[in-house]
Amino acid sequence: MIVDCGIYRDGQRVEGAEDLSDALEEARAAGDSFVWIGLHEPTHEEFEKVSSEFGLHPLAVEDALKAHQRPKLEVYDDSLFVVLKPVTYEQNSDTVTSGELMIFMGDSFVVTVRHGDGTPIADIRKRLEADPRMLRRGPTAVLYSLADVTVDHYLDVANELQTDLEELETAVFSPESGSSNNTASRIYTFKRQILEFRRATGPLAIPMARLAGSGPFSSAVPYVSDGVQPFFRDVHDHLTRVNESVEGLDRLVSDVLSAHLAQMGVRQNDDMRKISAWAAMAAVPTMIAGIYGMNFTHMPELNWWWAYPAVILLMVVLEFLLYGQFKRRGWL
């Protein structure tokens, strides 16, 4: 469905034609105007009119309708196609969920297609409408603002994940961390959250570098206004910080998992030593009782009045000696 359709001239929203084709012609005729159409999870029929009026490439239209795309930047003859993956951190469940935001940008138009609820486009539109100086830069201002808000929110999510990792480290290395199965499940779940986050941030580095015109991507991208590259360089710098944080989180959670597995191995070894010690202590009286249970004819001590208490005392003394030996070695 079409959420909003606005015509902007000289940094201000103006009243214009309701028909999409007339609005686009009016914006192109004015020279300093552009049309911004926002859609939320449109159907094929709803998006067909928009794509035909603005001449959008059919491959990009197919990607926008199907969603489930990686962040990317594609250049077509009449437009740019940019895919962003906004990320949301759920406080109640400590999980990361991602949506998708597709942006078609041409000489006098911007079409945004949103899947999920990750990006508050209405708030971004209001913020831009309150900043005519930025809006005068045309459709590029919309692309920059959407990328800037998306990447800034990545930083917030990275901070939340860092807090969760610190809590997880405390749980793993705490002396009273008893439920090893639950801890391992939490570690794997957290690693899945990092993977979901990385799928949104990692592939976006090259598109932002192209828009910023930095490194090997110094050539200008069509339909991007002159003088906006410094703004995209700022977004690219923030994204680099996010990707470094994600790499650090992934390494740390792998180290936490290795440490947890090592702790489980140590605990199992301790348990096996305790079991072995108790088995050895049980074997001694069993052996002595077994000898006297063989009913040999010639056992002189059987006729001795103190034989029974002496054997019992021998068992007790040997048990104490074994217990002390195992205790000194740390087996018990």
Side-chain angles (χ1 to χ4, degrees), residues 50-226:
V50 176
S51 62
S52 61
E53 291 291 347
F54 291 94
L56 305 180
H57 197 279
L59 292 178
V61 171
E62 182 181 358
D63 289 344
L65 289 174
K66 289 185 176 180
H68 304 293
Q69 303 295 316
R70 287 165 56 89
K72 60 183 178 179
L73 166 62
E74 294 179 348
V75 181
Y76 295 101
D77 294 336
D78 299 324
S79 63
L80 291 180
F81 179 57
V82 180
V83 178
L84 304 175
K85 289 185 75 69
V87 170
T88 303
Y89 180 83
E90 301 291 342
Q91 292 282 355
N92 296 330
S93 58
D94 293 338
T95 57
V96 173
T97 57
S98 61
E100 292 189 42
L101 178 62
M102 285 78 169
I103 305 163
F104 296 87
M105 190 179 77
D107 55 350
S108 300
F109 69 88
V110 177
V111 178
T112 56
V113 181
R114 181 166 57 95
H115 293 268
D117 301 318
T119 301
I121 294 184
D123 296 339
I124 298 173
R125 188 187 288 263
K126 290 180 182 178
R127 192 179 72 176
L128 270 175
E129 291 175 354
D131 187 3
R133 182 178 177 182
M134 177 60 71
L135 266 180
R136 289 191 186 100
R137 300 181 182 273
T140 311
V142 179
L143 177 59
Y144 159 71
S145 297
L146 294 173
D148 183 52
V149 171
T150 299
V151 173
D152 283 347
H153 195 56
Y154 286 166
L155 291 171
D156 298 334
V157 174
N159 292 331
E160 294 288 350
L161 289 175
Q162 181 65 44
T163 302
D164 289 346
L165 179 59
E166 293 172 357
E167 295 175 356
L168 190 59
E169 287 177 329
T170 302
V172 169
F173 296 106
S174 175
E176 57 273 4
S177 58
S179 179
S180 59
N181 292 332
N182 183 48
T183 302
S185 175
R186 289 181 59 190
I187 294 174
Y188 277 110
T189 301
F190 186 78
K191 198 168 182 65
R192 292 292 303 176
Q193 306 311 311
I194 295 177
L195 178 61
E196 182 71 19
F197 192 29
R198 172 180 276 175
R199 287 174 179 168
T201 64
L204 188 59
I206 292 180
M208 285 298 108
R210 291 181 64 185
L211 292 171
S214 58
F217 310 101
S218 56
S219 59
V221 178
Y223 307 110
V224 176
S225 303
D226 297 334

Side-chain angles (χ1 to χ4, degrees), residues 31-53:
D32 59 347
S33 304
F34 69 95
V35 180
W36 180 4
I37 298 177
L39 300 99
H40 180 245
E41 298 181 357
T43 63
H44 180 77
E45 291 75 16
E46 291 172 338
F47 198 49
E48 184 176 4
K49 182 179 180 181
V50 176
S51 62
S52 61
E53 291 291 347

